[in-house]
Amino acid sequence: MFFYYLKLGAVNLKRNPIITALMVITLAVGVAAAMTTLTILRGMSGDPIPHKSDRLFYVQIDTGPVGRENPNGEPDAQMSYTDTMNLWRAAKAPRQTPLMGTSDTVSPERKDLQPFITTGLAVGADFFSMFDVPLLEGRFWSAEQDKAGSDVVVITRQMRDRLFGEGQSAVGKRLMLSQRELTIIGVLDTWSPLPKFYRLVGSNRYGSHEDYFLPIEYAVRVESGIEGQVSCTSRPDPGFQGFLQSDCTWLQYWVELAEAGDRQGFADYLVAYVNEQKKLDRLPRTVNNRLRDVNEWMVQQGVVDNDTVVATWLAFAFLAVCLVNTVGLLLAKFSARPGEIGVRRALGASRAEIFSQFLTEAGVVGLVGAALGILLTLAALAYVRQYARDIALLTEMDWLMLLTTVLISLVAALGAGLLPTWRACQVLPAAQLKSQ
Amino acid sequence: MEVRPILSTLFRNKTAPLLIAAQVALTLAIVANSLYIIRERLASAARPTGLDEPNIGWINLSPVGEVADPKTMQEVDLNTLRAIPGVRSATWANMIPLSQSGWNSGGMSLKEGDNDSGINSAHYFSPGSLVDTFGLNLIAGRDFTADDVFDHDPEQGSALPKTVIISKALAEALLPNEADLGQLVGQQLFNATEAPVTIIGIVDRLQTPWSNEGADGEQSYILPIRYLVGSFQYAIRTEPGQLDRVMKEAADQLSTLRSDRVLNSQRTFAEIRASRYANETLMAGLLIAVTLFLLLITASGIVGLSSLWVNQRRKQIGVRRALGARRIDVIRYFLVENMLITSGGVLLGLLLTLALNQVLVRQMEVPRLPAEYVGFGMVIMWLLGVASVLGPALRAARVPPAVATRTV
């Protein structure tokens, strides 16, 4: 019977074409609005590294002077060179890495390519294993190269394709960065987490990823150009050395602990470290450290912006209006057919039969609405992609979202169909037959 | 008036009117709140920077390696730029409004030793005249001359300028509740650099690179500094209508001037503005689309259900007409009925609007909805209701009295 009802439902779409079209469009638009905002919200707020997000911690140590504290009591989002390197060299966690944004001109060896500017990241060797960075060929640099600041570099697949041609091996070749020669030792496979949770400060969170990675000791040794945010509370001494010794904050620092429970232990170590430094006349403020895991850090940095949340709220309110509208239209559609119901009931159909027939019909409307809704969602996401480049990469719709869309439309249509269907079941056959 | 019979009909058959009222209520809640957010966003994106925006471009080159003599290179570049026909003014600048990254200083004060005034300011500097090149409006004092400019080499330590031009917003922050800001000219400003600098001029408006909401987004000062590093970033101001051609020529000429640099970016100010406010524009666009669709859907729902009622009541309408009701009476019946339902919805919607706004205020720091937006939304809903029911009502009026005599 179900398939017969399904067929009936499809045939009945053609009945009252205007009301049916209105219903389908209403449902599709409502579902599309909700799904578009939900896709973006999910892209922004999803856990970027679920299996270890509770073990990766972002460290902050307050270097500022007494008397000019932030009103909200937060230390600066980044750390000074001195503290970062002290913590990194002490290596008290199983894995740890500093992060420094760099920017360089690349001079390709191929004569047909112009020099171009690109951004990179100077990190410790642990960076790759901490953030699960996949390797396509070659290797990452070793702990010794890390300490020595060797002139080695790991580049992305895109950079390799651009410089040496698609599929060509780059390992062992030279890379000229701002006229400094480095040896390429590895090529990353595609790795583009969004938002760029590993570098939320001083970089476009939804923008392009860094093109090359080099040892931070090397970047500091050659006084590489800094790309990112630098804040100073007092003017540093002249030159790069003066800058390194200052309390300017410009580095980011991550640690990975063996398990989430080690957090308190590491926090205690940080307090001990700050107290050590106070003896050297540094860090004048009262101890004001932060140790946040990936998700806490993303919330603190406001990764999901208020606009997106507001838009999602409004979109779901919009879906609610569309549902109420669909209820009204279904009511209109079903109540135009009391005669048909009367005849079926008189011929022996139970209320349950009528109920399932009309609910199936509502479901068919929901399915057609879902199909149109998916098309509209894709169109809306394409519009968003075109308009806001920095959230462009978040607007990929995956299978899960596709399934959710179909499910929401179906549930919405069935939910909207309940009241009209129940009303249709109340039709008294005798009254209908009499009035014919 | 025939309100009582209409009401009693409505109470007899509650479902459909309740649905319409609920829809009107939800629509009102969303429309009023979105209209306000749309207006906020568009107003925020339309704030002026103080610059002669249509005629300004920003071009940026980076060196491939170390730069031996940045001073000469900058001078050659600027002479090249100024020689392009249509260029009114060009200068090196450390940053430009709305670019979202740049220099910032805290603790601006007129008193020595006062480091925690809480007044922040954008820290512009240039060896030329930003007043000329940005097209700023000088409201007091004078612009810099060549004598004011100091060379600064970050590798060698600081040569400190002695003079500064501040924006009106910064002047107001330094001297709150003071009408005569001109008295600041000649006074010393502390914490812009290590040594105090003398204020020599005030410009009407100069937004910061971040253009935050409120006065904070316009607190800026300009120092006369020639920055001797290998960064080549130039602001260009052209004669009206020449910008696109000049930008192209500027990029070509600067690129061919030397081979050891890469053209990083060349943007007109309109592009900088569009990229700064892309999210605001997008949000407003999406909300406008949602609002329009919503009104359309609600209207279609009212039309749909009203048509249904007209069809169901053909016989009653015929009877009323036969008993002497005029067409206008039939139309009035449907209009009044619709007004009653819409008003019920609007009253319910008022509560919903405030509730939705409460959620938005508490969770998203959206400002509280002003009363006029609620009022405006209510008027829209009433008009929408009347407009939607008009078609079905006119159709009802065309039902001939003879219908009363047909079916049983």
Side-chain angles (χ1 to χ4, degrees), chain A residues 132-390:
Chain A
D132 291 343
V133 186
L135 190 66
L136 184 66
E137 59 166 336
R139 55 189 174 77
F140 299 120
W141 61 81
S142 64
E144 289 73 41
Q145 287 174 311
D146 212 19
K147 287 199 188 72
S150 306
D151 44 3
V152 294
V153 63
V154 173
I155 62 174
T156 59
R157 189 180 189 149
Q158 291 91 319
M159 177 95 141
R160 180 198 67 176
D161 292 351
R162 181 169 179 182
L163 290 176
F164 305 103
E166 210 159 316
Q168 300 290 314
S169 173
V171 174
K173 294 197 171 136
R174 293 190 319 152
L175 180 69
M176 293 297 290
L177 281 182
S178 298
Q179 298 193 325
R180 290 184 291 264
E181 189 181 321
L182 291 104
T183 309
I184 299 171
I185 57 164
V187 177
L188 299 188
D189 209 342
T190 310
W191 182 66
S192 48
L194 281 178
K196 285 163 67 181
F197 68 98
Y198 57 94
R199 192 182 173 204
L200 292 178
V201 181
S203 144
N204 193 340
R205 289 166 183 177
Y206 303 105
S208 53
H209 291 76
E210 295 79 9
D211 268 331
Y212 60 91
F213 298 81
L214 33 80
I216 188 161
E217 293 279 18
Y218 172 82
V220 170
R221 182 156 55 81
V222 303
E223 304 182 5
S224 173
I226 299 167
E227 170 82 17
Q229 187 174 306
V230 178
S231 30
C232 303
T233 44
S234 61
R235 187 155 302 209
D237 293 333
F240 197 73
Q241 284 309 314
F243 174 67
L244 291 184
Q245 285 153 13
S246 71
D247 277 337
C248 296
T249 58
W250 55 287
L251 287 164
Q252 300 173 42
Y253 188 68
W254 286 93
V255 296
E256 179 184 331
L257 302 181
E259 47 192 302
D262 296 346
R263 181 178 185 155
Q264 189 54 46
F266 196 79
D268 293 343
Y269 159 68
L270 287 179
V271 173
Y273 166 78
V274 171
N275 286 328
E276 260 330 282
Q277 291 293 308
K278 280 176 179 295
K279 289 180 193 154
L280 302 173
D281 256 356
R282 289 190 66 239
L283 310 181
R285 288 183 187 167
T286 46
V287 181
N288 189 25
N289 304 332
R290 295 289 185 279
L291 190 63
R292 291 189 167 101
D293 72 20
V294 173
N295 290 316
E296 290 165 0
W297 179 233
M298 282 177 43
V299 169
Q300 205 280 327
Q301 283 293 301
V303 166
V304 179
D305 63 349
N306 282 340
D307 274 4
T308 313
V309 182
V310 172
T312 312
W313 272 94
L314 288 177
F316 273 88
F318 180 56
L319 178 62
V321 177
C322 293
L323 283 189
V324 175
N325 199 43
T326 310
V327 174
L329 292 171
L330 271 179
L331 206 59
K333 189 169 161 132
F334 288 176
S335 62
R337 289 151 57 185
E340 178 193 329
I341 301 167
V343 171
R344 277 208 69 196
R345 293 273 283 124
L347 291 177
S350 65
R351 283 208 167 131
E353 285 292 333
I354 303 285
F355 190 83
S356 54
Q357 182 197 341
F358 279 77
L359 207 58
T360 312
E361 197 170 326
V364 170
V365 172
L367 277 180
V368 179
L372 192 63
I374 289 173
L375 289 181
L376 282 178
T377 309
L378 291 175
L381 289 176
Y383 170 80
V384 173
R385 250 199 297 282
Q386 199 190 8
Y387 231 90
R389 264 156 292 156
D390 58 338

Side-chain angles (χ1 to χ4, degrees), chain B residues 372-384:
Chain B
E372 60 262 34
Y373 282 85
V374 185
F376 186 56
M378 289 166 79
V379 172
I380 289 187
M381 292 323 294
W382 269 309
L383 289 179
L384 186 81

Side-chain angles (χ1 to χ4, degrees), chain A residues 105 178 235 307 318 325 423, chain B residues 15 23 41 64 194 294 301:
Chain A
T105 34
S178 298
R235 187 155 302 209
D307 274 4
F318 180 56
N325 199 43
R423 292 284 294 259
Chain B
T15 323
Q23 204 173 336
R41 290 305 135 93
V64 174
E194 285 96 305
L294 203 53

Side-chain angles (χ1 to χ4, degrees), chain B residues 85-235:
Chain B
V87 171
R88 200 163 149 189
S89 170
T91 187
W92 188 99
N94 69 325
M95 58 190 191
I96 191 161
L98 306 193
S99 60
Q100 289 173 282
S101 71
W103 302 49
N104 187 46
S105 291
M108 296 297 109
S109 177
L110 295 172
K111 291 193 288 284
E112 189 161 13
D114 172 22
N115 290 330
D116 40 338
S117 67
I119 304 176
N120 284 312
S121 173
H123 177 104
Y124 286 89
F125 56 85
S126 164
S129 166
L130 285 185
V131 174
D132 269 356
T133 309
F134 282 174
L136 306 177
N137 181 15
L138 197 64
I139 54 171
R142 63 170 178 92
D143 192 6
F144 297 121
T145 63
D147 295 338
D148 292 309
V149 179
F150 281 77
D151 287 2
H152 175 82
D153 180 351
E155 293 296 318
Q156 304 297 326
S158 318
L160 297 173
K162 305 270 188 289
T163 49
V164 67
I165 293 177
I166 63 174
S167 71
K168 191 171 140 197
L170 179 57
E172 281 164 350
L174 291 169
L175 268 190
N177 310 319
E178 182 67 58
D180 175 27
L181 295 171
Q183 60 174 290
L184 278 171
V185 174
Q187 289 201 42
Q188 305 257 289
L189 178 68
F190 292 86
N191 289 338
T193 68
E194 285 96 305
V197 283
T198 308
I199 299 171
I200 61 159
I202 302 176
V203 290
D204 187 32
R205 176 178 281 128
L206 174 56
Q207 250 182 5
T208 69
W210 308 275
S211 59
N212 298 337
E213 295 287 339
D216 209 25
E218 291 185 2
Q219 289 173 6
S220 319
Y221 59 80
I222 310 169
L223 292 169
I225 293 176
R226 178 175 290 109
Y227 199 52
L228 298 179
V229 293
S231 92
F232 306 97
Q233 37 194 41
Y234 304 105

